[in-house]
Amino acid sequence: TGSSGINAEYGNATSNWEQLKNPLCWLEAASQIFYSLSLGFGSCIAFASYNPTKTDFYKQTIGISIVNSLSSMLAGVTIFAIIGSSAVKNQIPIDELSTGPGLAFIAVSEAIANVPAAPLWSAMFFLMLFMLGIDSQFAGIEGMMTALDDTTLVPKRIPRPAIIAGFCGISFLLGIPFVMSNGLYIVDLFDNFSANFPLMMVAFCEVTAVSWVYGINRFCRDFENMTGYYPNIVWRALWLVITPISILGILLYTLIDQLSNPIKYEQFVGCMATEDGMSGSWTVKANYPAWGWGLAFILVFSSFLFIPIMAVLAYLPKWFGPKYEVDWPLVLAQEEKREREGKDVEMREAPGV
């Protein structure tokens, strides 16, 4: 329900189906699902580990997915209404409006300033952003701490709050460059290379490991033991074939596109005058320097490269013998090792052995 200008310009707008040919569109869409549901980060697994064994997590998962989808649609309608109104007001195309951090701190802030009781809504909006950040930090730290609890890397005599405080302190120090004068360039670099592609790779490794390495039949039996019903053919097909192929297709499609059309960043050049004397863009598209691509390479591969490396180390004893067995710093692995050593001692001490 906008003005006649909004209706005239956007009332007869049609969808741009050509965007479906853009690999980044599919990568961004897939990443949005993973971010909104916190998939691939380990936080869902960490929180689920506190559930009793007999838990109907199937219904919980369906409920969370429905609520998440409805929330995303509500947020999308709200944001695009604000963007459309701002585009008409400033007489510029929608794709030239602020995106990324600028969307929350410029476009949305401008819209909130024009509503009744603007100070109240502004305070609530930025409080919401703050709470979202804190909530994400809670989930991320819990995913890390749950994994550390299952290892022997950190001595058990160190209190858990002290480890969390140390991790938060290190994260705070690492985050300082992001808010400095050139921090937006670092944010852009991390946003382009540390968020989407690595997350898809982690998800692909997870679903492949569960369905093909652990075994879909074993997984379904565990599913039935916990929930009381066996997954139907649709879920098995999704886990075995459709999901891995979909993720792999998006990754390959995106990789090929990036090799032919590398990602560029917005380089600040100042205000440039156009031929008609009007002010032009403050930035131009520029290629990343060599050190930027080197950092991007590290960001991409450091997130998931340990998965195949650990898998190879785990199979070394089966391929080349027990002498290649790795002494894993895991609580369960150490307990199994002590149990095996105890059985060997009992066999050696048994009469007649």
Side-chain angles (χ1 to χ4, degrees):
T1 60
S3 64
S4 58
I6 297 178
N7 292 330
E9 185 164 349
Y10 296 103
N12 297 321
T14 57
S15 300
N16 185 6
W17 298 106
E18 291 296 320
Q19 286 295 325
L20 295 179
K21 298 179 181 179
N22 184 1
L24 288 179
C25 176
W26 291 95
L27 183 64
E28 293 288 348
S31 300
Q32 171 60 28
I33 293 296
F34 277 80
Y35 271 99
S36 59
L37 288 172
S38 297
L39 304 177
F41 295 96
S43 54
C44 288
I45 299 176
F47 288 133
S49 65
Y50 293 100
N51 283 334
T53 303
K54 301 292 184 179
T55 301
D56 193 356
F57 60 86
Y58 176 74
K59 292 181 179 179
Q60 297 175 356
T61 304
I62 296 297
I64 292 174
S65 301
I66 293 175
V67 172
N68 174 76
S69 298
L70 295 176
S71 301
S72 298
M73 287 189 288
L74 176 62
V77 170
T78 305
I79 293 299
F80 282 105
I82 293 173
I83 293 176
S85 176
S86 179
V88 173
K89 180 180 178 181
N90 295 283
Q91 296 298 310
I92 58 176
I94 290 180
D95 54 5
E96 293 184 9
L97 286 174
S98 298
T99 58
L103 180 62
F105 296 101
I106 299 177
V108 177
S109 300
E110 180 184 357
I112 294 177
N114 295 321
V115 300
L120 174 62
W121 289 108
S122 297
M124 294 176 63
F125 175 74
F126 287 103
L127 179 62
M128 178 196 70
L129 292 182
F130 175 76
M131 297 300 292
L132 284 174
I134 295 295
D135 180 68
S136 300
Q137 188 76 349
F138 285 160
I141 290 178
E142 187 59 39
M144 179 206 67
M145 288 303 303
T146 302
L148 283 179
D149 288 340
D150 294 333
T151 70
T152 57
L153 295 174
V154 179
K156 300 302 179 183
R157 64 177 180 273
I158 300 179
R160 204 170 191 265
I163 301 174
I164 295 175
F167 178 78
C168 292
I170 295 174
S171 299
F172 172 78
L173 295 177
L174 293 176
I176 291 178
F178 289 83
V179 297
M180 299 179 72
S181 58
N182 294 328
L184 190 59
Y185 292 105
I186 304 177
V187 172
D188 189 66
L189 189 67
F190 272 72
D191 182 58
N192 285 328
F193 297 104
S194 70
N196 298 337
F197 194 89
L199 184 60
M200 293 295 103
M201 282 300 304
V202 171
F204 175 77
C205 292
E206 284 186 355
V207 69
T208 303
V210 171
S211 300
W212 293 96
V213 179
Y214 182 75
I216 190 65
N217 292 328
R218 293 173 61 188
F219 178 72
C220 289
R221 286 195 296 269
D222 295 339
F223 190 104
E224 183 181 25
N225 181 53
M226 296 179 67
T227 63
Y229 36 86
Y230 199 83
N232 56 42
I233 186 63
V234 175
W235 290 111
R236 297 200 298 273
L238 285 170
W239 294 329
L240 269 175
V241 180
I242 298 176
T243 299
I245 291 180
S246 299
I247 296 177
L248 185 61
I250 293 174
L251 289 172
L252 292 178
Y253 194 20
T254 305
L255 183 61
I256 294 172
D257 180 74
Q258 289 305 307
L259 292 176
S260 57
N261 302 299
I263 294 178
K264 297 182 179 181
Y265 73 100
E266 298 283 347
Q267 183 181 23
F268 178 79
V269 293
C271 184
M272 299 183 298
T274 58
E275 294 180 357
D276 57 1
M278 301 296 291
S279 61
S281 175
W282 291 75
T283 61
V284 295
K285 292 285 187 179
N287 291 315
Y288 282 102
W291 67 265
W293 283 109
L295 180 58
F297 182 86
I298 296 174
L299 291 174
V300 170
F301 286 95
S302 63
S303 301
F304 68 89
L305 196 60
F306 70 95
I307 298 177
I309 291 176
M310 298 295 285
V312 170
L313 292 176
Y315 274 90
L316 282 179
K318 298 181 180 179
W319 293 339
F320 303 105
K323 65 178 181 178
Y324 291 95
E325 184 175 0
V326 179
D327 190 15
W328 298 104
L330 302 175
V331 174
L332 183 60
Q334 297 294 334
E335 292 176 353
E336 292 177 349
K337 181 180 179 181
R338 288 193 294 268
E339 184 178 349
R340 290 196 305 269
E341 292 175 350
K343 290 182 179 179
D344 292 341
V345 172
E346 291 177 359
M347 289 182 64
R348 288 194 297 269
E349 294 178 352
V353 177

